[in-house]
Amino acid sequence: MNSKFIPYGRQDIDDEDINNVVKVLKSDFITQGPTVPLFENLLSKYTHGKYSFCLNSATSALHLACLSLGLKKGDIVWTSPISFVASANCALYCGAKVDFIDIDPFSYNMSVKKLEEKLINAKKEGDLPKIVIPVHLSGQSAEMIKIKELSKEFNFKIIEDASHALGGSYKNEKIGSCKFSDLTVFSMHPVKMITTGEGGVITTNNKLIAKKIKSLRSHGITKDTLDMTKVPDGLWYYEQLELGYNYRMPDINAALGITQLDKLDKFVSKREEIANYYDKNLIDLPLKTPHQIPNCVSSRHLYIIRIDNKHSKFKHKDIFSRLRDSNIGVNLHYIPIHLQPYFQNLGFIKGQFPEAEKYYEEAISLPIFTKLTKREQDYVIDTLRKLII
Ligand SMILES: *Cc1c(COP(=O)(O)O)cnc(C)c1O
């Protein structure tokens, strides 16, 4: 029995990170100073997204992404039911309606086949979505080329929820390049690829969207005289032009992000190594290991297996609780969003998205994070094996 609890994910923070945060703490600006813009430049350089914006969470980022595309009451957003609730809530914040596209049985991302079918149907009914939000589950990209094609045919905008996927790429394009979308959103919560404590990032190549995000992130206020409606009363003058929010990231947090970003590629390789070791050591068991689509780099944020409830010694729920009893912090990403009580109250019912519901009866996220030791991983593998055969 392993005496120490092994979580499914955790941050990797070193002295370089700590020193950089301390440096900002000792400087003149701990928020709204030069560190956030510096981090944003580095993020644009890394992702090849022209404009980058740091925000206080990916949830705020998703909200502003929707607002920047003009989402309002009467509009419709589609996303994947296998995601964190924030992927759907952003639509509701704007007064829009949300609906889901069932998942692909191999990648567990939004099924592009089901997306196309639903679009053809929605066109007939006159209720096409304004925005589609594909979620790159585990850090593996959704099928963006096809989604982009469909967006032209059916006239919708695309926000990539890449909360899991910083450091990954799709057909040789970095996630965040927005080659196949209008905006991309990343999360910097501690379990994600890199962390700023709490934090979110938006990338976009669209100048008007960028301007809107910048304004909405800080109360809808401008200090740029070119944007003002009146001649400034004096040097103190600013104007609020629209209803915005305080969704800013403090410089303290951005300082952590800068040194974390330096290590991102190393983090991805380390996670790849861990994933490959799981693949190799679970291959003979009656369970599904993660399916990787060709010509893409998954950031390997999560390592999700699917239990074969017919051929395993124990069933999914039992395996999960026995792993937890063994001090292994397995998790389940995610409970299908449409099964949440809040969404059931909006009219969603069980049975609507069968692939997502089947996934929910089989999926387990095994521990994967940069500091997971070989010994800990062997312990996870051995414990799991005994529950399967
Ligand atoms: C973590 C996560 C979010 C929310 O991120 P926060 O930074 O915690 O607000 C949104 N979508 C997905 C898919 C996530 O995993």
Side-chain angles (χ1 to χ4, degrees), residues 1-221:
M1 170 86 173
N2 204 63
S3 57
K4 207 171 125 232
F5 183 76
I6 307 169
Y8 84 84
R10 68 156 292 165
Q11 70 277 17
D12 183 340
I13 289 175
D14 63 14
D15 286 341
E16 187 200 18
D17 296 316
I18 293 165
N19 291 339
N20 208 38
V21 173
V22 170
K23 205 172 95 194
V24 168
L25 281 169
K26 289 179 174 169
S27 76
D28 292 334
F29 299 99
I30 59 171
T31 195
Q32 293 183 272
T35 313
V36 163
L38 179 62
F39 186 31
E40 289 173 340
N41 281 336
L42 294 169
L43 285 161
S44 279
K45 217 181 228 170
Y46 186 88
T47 60
H48 306 136
K50 191 164 179 197
Y51 306 97
S52 294
F53 295 97
C54 291
L55 301 153
N56 59 3
S57 73
T59 303
S60 306
L62 285 164
H63 182 197
L64 293 196
C66 287
L67 287 176
S68 75
L69 294 173
L71 191 73
K72 57 183 188 317
K73 196 167 181 240
D75 291 334
I76 300 166
V77 172
W78 291 356
T79 188
S80 170
I82 297 300
S83 185
F84 186 53
V85 290
S87 308
N89 287 342
C90 56
L92 305 178
Y93 296 154
C94 301
K97 276 200 193 135
V98 71
D99 202 353
F100 302 95
I101 306 295
D102 207 354
I103 59 168
D104 172 83
F106 299 103
S107 69
Y108 319 144
N109 281 326
M110 174 184 288
S111 156
V112 288
K113 192 168 149 270
K114 299 224 174 90
L115 174 62
E116 185 165 19
E117 285 167 10
K118 194 163 171 131
L119 284 165
I120 291 168
N121 215 35
K123 193 170 178 182
K124 284 188 209 136
E125 306 280 324
D127 53 4
L128 282 166
K130 180 164 189 155
I131 301 174
V132 172
I133 308 181
V135 180
H136 305 323
L137 191 74
S138 304
Q140 172 164 251
S141 178
E143 289 176 62
M144 296 310 297
I145 291 176
K146 181 71 184 171
I147 296 172
K148 179 78 182 174
E149 259 172 43
L150 291 169
S151 79
K152 287 185 186 147
E153 190 180 342
F154 293 93
N155 197 29
F156 58 82
K157 303 285 187 193
I158 304 169
I159 300 170
E160 294 174 68
D161 184 342
S163 291
H164 299 180
L166 186 63
S169 64
Y170 172 73
K171 312 281 179 201
N172 295 319
E173 301 289 343
K174 277 276 180 213
I175 306 285
S177 69
C178 299
K179 190 89 194 255
F180 306 98
S181 65
D182 297 280
L183 307 102
T184 303
V185 167
F186 298 106
S187 171
M188 297 193 175
H189 180 279
V191 294
K192 305 292 164 74
M193 294 301 297
I194 64 170
T195 189
T196 56
E198 293 271 7
V201 169
I202 291 177
T203 61
T204 184
N205 295 321
N206 182 311
K207 196 173 173 181
L208 288 176
I209 289 175
K211 197 169 174 195
K212 192 87 180 160
I213 301 280
K214 195 172 173 200
S215 164
L216 291 173
R217 158 173 84 170
S218 205
H219 311 280
I221 280 173

Side-chain angles (χ1 to χ4, degrees), residues 232-261:
D233 297 335
L235 284 177
W236 64 84
Y237 194 71
Y238 56 84
E239 282 186 355
Q240 183 188 343
L241 297 171
E242 61 186 333
L243 186 63
Y245 304 83
N246 179 354
Y247 280 174
R248 294 185 304 259
M249 178 187 285
D251 276 37
I252 301 170
N253 302 62
L256 179 54
I258 286 171
T259 45
Q260 286 268 295
L261 186 60

Side-chain angles (χ1 to χ4, degrees), residues 235-379:
L235 284 177
W236 64 84
Y237 194 71
Y238 56 84
E239 282 186 355
Q240 183 188 343
L241 297 171
E242 61 186 333
L243 186 63
Y245 304 83
N246 179 354
Y247 280 174
R248 294 185 304 259
M249 178 187 285
D251 276 37
I252 301 170
N253 302 62
L256 179 54
I258 286 171
T259 45
Q260 286 268 295
L261 186 60
D262 268 346
K263 294 181 272 267
L264 175 57
D265 287 342
K266 257 191 274 167
F267 288 172
V268 175
S269 323
K270 180 70 206 184
R271 285 171 176 274
E272 180 66 22
E273 215 175 274
I274 293 168
N276 289 339
Y277 192 71
Y278 274 135
D279 284 350
K280 204 172 78 195
N281 286 282
L282 300 175
I283 194 161
D284 59 314
L285 297 181
L287 54 76
K288 286 197 195 104
T289 54
H291 172 79
Q292 298 300 298
I293 59 171
N295 302 324
C296 298
V297 176
S298 169
S299 66
R300 297 288 197 170
H301 166 58
L302 299 172
Y303 188 92
I304 299 170
I305 57 165
R306 292 208 25 195
I307 302 297
D308 180 342
N309 282 310
K310 277 208 193 87
H311 298 103
S312 291
K313 187 155 98 189
F314 292 101
K315 288 196 190 308
H316 175 254
K317 196 173 168 177
D318 258 349
I319 294 169
F320 193 101
S321 59
R322 284 165 194 265
L323 287 168
R324 279 278 180 93
D325 289 344
S326 308
N327 260 346
I328 298 168
V330 285
N331 218 314
L332 206 174
H333 300 92
Y334 294 90
I335 304 163
I337 300 175
H338 71 286
L339 299 182
Q340 292 290 354
Y342 187 84
F343 287 83
Q344 300 255 296
N345 287 338
L346 295 178
F348 292 100
I349 51 169
K350 195 162 179 199
Q352 260 184 305
F353 306 101
E355 278 300 337
E357 290 169 27
K358 190 160 160 253
Y359 166 93
Y360 179 53
E361 285 166 11
E362 300 172 356
I364 298 180
S365 300
L366 299 182
I368 186 166
F369 53 93
T370 55
K371 285 191 160 150
L372 183 71
T373 65
K374 196 64 138 225
R375 232 185 100 192
E376 287 172 324
Q377 196 179 4
D378 281 333
Y379 171 69

